Amino acid sequence: MGPPPHAQTARLAAATLVAATALTACGTRAPEDSVTTGQTLSPSAARTSAEGSRVVAFEDTFAYANGLKVKVTRPVAFTPSDTSLGHQPGHSPAAFTVTLTNGTGKSFGVSGVLVRVKAGEQGVPARQVFDSARGVGNPFTGTLAAGASGTSSFAFDIPANAMTKVDVEVRPDFGAAYYSVHWVGRPA
């Protein structure tokens, strides 16, 4: 004769709780402490910040429920040209790329893509650097056909004392289907 039914139920519930905790921990790792993984994360697999935003690591791809995917590369040091706009002495410019992949099944207008950067533990807003000579700072424009991908390069001027943590916020559109996602971590 086996254990009483309530003991089996308790063991099953405990095993389910352990498995769910392990899966949740894998999907909600702290991006600033993680290594680059290149994962594709659904909204439920991304970590949620205290403010309710989705947070993922650089190089990870975030997939919205409708099939639109966004990837942000890890920011790297950037040397602006003499003709750049937005760079201030004493700041450390960092550049990264944002890639959109349209898996929605219909065309997607990319002119409304919002990219913002905050830096340091205090989340100081960083100023965008525009540098046509280096090919950075040009926003997304036009329409992305179904199944197509598009990439744009950005640079932001980060205070030198705030390079410990960079938060790149991307919002593909201001429609209800798209909320801001944050790629957070240390620049390269």
Side-chain angles (χ1 to χ4, degrees):
M1 184 162 145
H6 68 279
Q8 289 177 336
T9 302
R11 273 196 292 250
L12 180 58
T16 302
L17 178 63
V18 168
T21 302
L23 287 174
T24 301
C26 290
T28 60
R29 62 196 159 69
E32 55 272 6
D33 297 332
S34 66
V35 295
T36 301
T37 60
Q39 298 184 73
T40 297
L41 300 171
S42 66
S44 62
R47 185 173 67 89
T48 303
S49 72
E51 297 82 29
S53 299
R54 300 296 198 271
V55 180
V56 297
F58 292 119
E59 306 296 337
D60 282 350
T61 300
F62 184 83
Y64 287 89
N66 69 352
L68 183 71
K69 295 179 182 177
V70 182
K71 178 182 178 182
V72 175
T73 61
R74 181 175 302 281
V76 296
F78 170 75
T79 303
S81 71
D82 292 340
T83 59
S84 69
L85 297 172
H87 173 58
Q88 299 174 333
H91 285 65
S92 301
F96 56 90
T97 60
V98 176
T99 301
L100 302 175
T101 301
N102 184 2
T104 66
K106 57 186 178 181
S107 64
F108 178 75
V110 295
S111 298
V113 174
L114 170 73
V115 178
R116 292 191 283 206
V117 171
K118 294 182 286 186
E121 296 304 319
Q122 304 305 315
V124 176
R127 188 172 176 182
Q128 188 169 356
V129 175
F130 297 90
D131 194 342
S132 59
R134 301 263 196 267
V136 299
N138 299 319
F140 286 98
T141 59
T143 303
L144 197 57
S149 292
T151 300
S152 190
S153 296
F154 296 88
F156 281 79
D157 211 29
I158 298 170
N161 63 351
M163 289 295 286
T164 57
K165 179 180 177 183
V166 175
D167 176 342
V168 176
E169 174 187 357
V170 178
R171 184 169 184 165
D173 188 69
F174 286 98
Y178 303 105
Y179 40 83
S180 291
V181 176
H182 296 257
W183 281 259
V184 179
R186 291 184 180 273

